[in-house]
Amino acid sequence: MFVAVNIAVFIVVMYVNDCPKKTRGLEGSCVAKFLHRFSFQPLKENPLFGPSSDTLEKMGALERNKVVHGHQGWRLVSCIWLHAGVIHVLTNVLSLIFIGIRLEQEFGFVRVGIIYLVSGFGGSILSALFIQQNISVGASGALFGLLGAMLSELLTNWTIYANKIAALFTLVIIIAINLAVGLLPHVDNFAHIGGFISGFLLGFVLLLRPQFGWAENRHSPADARVKSKHKAYQYVFLLAAAVLLIVGFTLGLVTLFKGKSGSDHCSWCHYLNCVPTSRWKCQN
């Protein structure tokens, strides 16, 4: 369902963008003109084969000033469904299929959907706290939330897995590589980090499994049953994660709508979003 929504929203955005009308008489021409009003902005303007930044802003891209001073908090959610171009939307859709199908098969659409949406929202909050000038769009924060949930699900259900060390190592490597890519310019790594943390905590709350043997033995005689459906450490993780989620989202939203910047409290955090080199500069 989320795959279809992301694609449908992108089509609507391209319809609204109407490149031929906007570029008429201007330098540069639309890409794929045979698509008429669905054609893409000139590659010099948008190399991802997509709409203009003005269109994205109009349709609900995340922009700190509009959220904080324009009282447009809805952008914290709307930006999750927007994408900068065909390459962007295809990358996210394929990632969603790859990550989401496995989780949905095991835990159902509702729980995975909650993680996806709340993680995207969490990513938007952290992004708005630290990125002052640029607009931000995309479902990457929500996708990182699913990765975070996969990690916490593995940890909280540790005792029921075989080859758990190999699974943990593989998952950590995948997460690390994706976060490292976020250090490149023009990538909103704060959304990735915020989404990952949100999903990681939500996984402890929503993705608990009964301990090994509980389902099979619950109708057995009392002395042969597994006494508890879940282990004590699972409840500890759940409670701690729930508290951290509530506190984190509350502090984040209060700080944001007071107009404060995350950089005021963390002078080095901008390096989490982009690391400057001799080849590129970073701008937050």
Side-chain angles (χ1 to χ4, degrees):
M1 177 179 172
F2 288 139
V3 169
V5 172
N6 277 296
I7 294 174
V9 170
F10 181 72
I11 293 173
V12 171
V13 170
M14 292 308 303
Y15 179 85
V16 172
N17 186 66
D18 195 3
C19 179
K21 181 179 179 180
K22 289 185 176 180
T23 58
R24 193 175 299 154
L26 300 177
E27 183 180 353
S29 59
C30 302
V31 178
K33 291 182 179 179
F34 62 90
L35 295 174
H36 302 292
R37 72 179 297 152
F38 292 97
S39 57
F40 312 119
Q41 293 297 119
L43 293 181
K44 184 181 293 186
E45 180 182 347
N46 186 343
L48 297 178
F49 299 96
S52 67
S53 57
D54 289 341
T55 299
L56 290 172
E57 187 176 332
K58 175 182 177 181
M59 297 296 288
L62 180 60
E63 185 181 357
R64 175 185 167 85
N65 285 335
K66 283 185 166 55
V67 171
V68 177
H69 304 296
H71 307 292
Q72 297 179 15
W74 51 270
R75 290 179 179 271
L76 294 168
V77 177
S78 61
C79 67
I80 302 169
W81 306 101
L82 301 175
H83 290 84
V86 172
I87 296 175
H88 191 198
V89 72
L90 285 180
T91 301
N92 279 350
V93 163
L94 290 174
S95 299
L96 178 57
I97 292 172
F98 178 75
I99 300 169
I101 285 181
R102 179 250 171 183
L103 283 174
E104 187 175 339
Q105 287 174 340
E106 296 188 22
F107 298 101
F109 173 78
V110 173
R111 281 190 281 182
V112 175
I114 291 172
I115 293 172
Y116 181 88
L117 294 173
V118 175
S119 297
F121 183 56
S124 295
I125 293 173
L126 195 65
S127 175
L129 280 170
F130 283 95
I131 295 182
Q132 307 294 309
Q133 300 175 13
N134 300 324
I135 66 171
S136 178
V137 295
S140 299
L143 292 170
F144 267 84
L146 295 182
L147 283 174
M150 289 177 69
L151 179 59
S152 56
E153 188 272 326
L154 175 62
L155 295 175
T156 197
N157 301 318
W158 186 258
T159 58
I160 70 172
Y161 278 104
N163 301 320
K164 57 193 76 174
I165 298 298
L168 177 62
F169 179 77
T170 302
L171 192 53
V172 169
I173 292 297
I174 291 172
I175 293 168
I177 291 173
N178 280 277
L179 286 174
V181 171
L183 298 177
L184 297 171
H186 309 300
V187 179
D188 186 356
N189 213 29
F190 284 120
H192 297 171
I193 295 169
F196 175 80
I197 294 172
S198 301
F200 180 71
L201 294 175
L202 278 168
F204 288 119
V205 176
L206 296 177
L207 303 184
L208 272 73
R209 294 174 185 266
Q211 62 173 304
F212 183 77
W214 182 84
E216 293 80 359
N217 298 327
R218 58 181 172 173
H219 300 301
S220 302
D223 57 347
R225 293 179 197 166
V226 175
K227 292 183 179 180
S228 175
K229 183 176 181 180
H230 298 102
K231 289 185 175 293
Y233 77 86
Q234 291 178 298
Y235 291 116
V236 172
F237 282 159
L238 186 154
L239 181 61
V243 171
L244 288 173
L245 275 169
I246 294 170
V247 172
F249 272 85
T250 302
L251 287 177
L253 288 170
V254 169
T255 302
L256 177 62
F257 285 105
K258 279 187 174 181
K260 297 181 179 179
S261 169
S263 299
D264 296 337
H265 305 282
C266 181
S267 59
W268 56 268
C269 281
H270 61 278
Y271 291 117
L272 296 174
N273 189 57
C274 179
V275 177
T277 70
S278 59
R279 292 181 175 271
W280 62 70
K281 296 181 180 180
C282 299
Q283 183 181 11
N284 293 325

